[in-house]
Amino acid sequence: MKQLLIIAFILLFFHASSKNPETKPNIVFILIDDKGWTDVGFMGAKYYETPNIDRLAKDVMENI
């Protein structure tokens, strides 16, 4: 099942990028192993410091 999902994502990515080759897609892929949704600063975590993820979340919310 994982392989099928990965293949579908890759095909979708290349299909979407072939429509308008002048613009590059804005895709951010973050892979974090064993981190819960409460383990990042913007969700209220005090133990872990995640300044880059927090800045990314802030920038996204300001530009919506």
Side-chain angles (χ1 to χ4, degrees):
M1 184 66 179
K2 271 189 197 179
Q3 292 89 2
L4 182 61
L5 184 61
I6 291 171
I7 292 170
F9 177 74
I10 291 171
L11 290 174
L12 181 64
F13 173 75
F14 283 115
H15 177 68
S17 65
S18 67
K19 289 182 181 179
N20 193 357
E22 295 86 31
T23 61
K24 296 180 181 178
N26 296 322
I27 296 175
V28 177
F29 182 76
I30 301 173
L31 177 65
I32 302 174
D33 185 29
D34 200 29
K35 185 168 282 292
W37 65 274
T38 59
D39 294 338
V40 288
F42 72 91
M43 293 300 290
K46 303 292 183 206
Y47 183 74
Y48 300 107
E49 295 180 8
T50 57
N52 296 324
I53 301 283
D54 298 342
R55 189 176 328 109
L56 178 64
K58 180 182 175 194
D59 290 345
V60 168
M61 293 306 294
E62 288 176 352
N63 292 318
I64 288 182

